[in-house]
Amino acid sequence: MARGIFKVITAALAVSAAASAAHAAGFSRGTADTDLIYEDGNFNIRAGATIVSPTRKNTKALAPLGGTLVGTDYADTYVIPTAAIKLNVTDDMRCVGSVAQPYGGATTYAVPFGTSAKLHESFASTEAGLTCGYKIDLSKGQFWVLGGLFNESFNYDLTAGGGAIKVNLGASDWGYRLGAAYAIPEIALRAKLMYRA
């Protein structure tokens, strides 16, 4: 019973910490859910979406085509999606397919803003990847070797010149992640180090 309560508290703290990390840095929105590798079961799915509605108001702003931006909120509401599926390949090897949005930002102005007379600007990166872990049982705990590949796409949109200029850019590239972890499942202890390139 006490172990079950400890796991619930640990999970709640982890979710709280992840939510704080996702929004504290502004453009950083979160990371791929590779922690599903450690879950019990041969097949696991975890998915969710977080809606964020920031409030950022202009105290002074240049509106070259007239009107006022003072007191208006320019930060757009956004959704952070996350999904992961885990499959045990063998008793000691597991793989997770994941989708996440690591970075993003968006603004919309009530009237054209700044020297470029911007109306809207947004960018977002979306990552889809596969991460695998191999478990080595130790006399106390487990040692994990982790690695995987991901594809990250980047999209940028701009509406400026009071609506006369529209820019839409996009690109994608491959990356990899490597890491190691040590876990003692009996006491819900895990330390992980992951490098993402």
Side-chain angles (χ1 to χ4, degrees), residues 107-118:
T107 57
T108 300
Y109 299 96
V111 297
F113 166 71
T115 54
S116 61
K118 260 191 289 192

Side-chain angles (χ1 to χ4, degrees), residues 97-161:
S98 59
V99 176
Q101 191 177 86
Y103 307 101
T107 57
T108 300
Y109 299 96
V111 297
F113 166 71
T115 54
S116 61
K118 260 191 289 192
L119 284 172
H120 176 75
E121 187 173 27
S122 67
F123 77 93
S125 64
T126 303
E127 176 193 302
L130 180 69
T131 305
C132 294
Y134 183 77
K135 177 184 67 169
I136 301 166
D137 288 315
L138 305 174
S139 58
K140 183 67 174 175
Q142 305 164 340
F143 179 74
W144 290 83
V145 178
L146 308 165
L149 293 172
F150 62 87
N151 183 273
E152 189 167 326
S153 61
F154 180 85
N155 291 293
Y156 173 79
D157 292 306
L158 171 69
T159 302

Side-chain angles (χ1 to χ4, degrees), residues 4 6 23 26 55 57 60-61 67 69 88 92 114 125 132 139 142 150-151 156 167 173 177 183 191 197:
F6 182 75
H23 315 304
T55 300
K57 292 190 176 179
K60 55 184 177 180
L69 287 164
N88 286 8
D92 296 323
S125 64
C132 294
S139 58
Q142 305 164 340
F150 62 87
N151 183 273
Y156 173 79
V167 177
D173 205 352
R177 56 172 59 92

Side-chain angles (χ1 to χ4, degrees), residues 17-28:
S20 298
H23 315 304
F27 296 132
S28 179

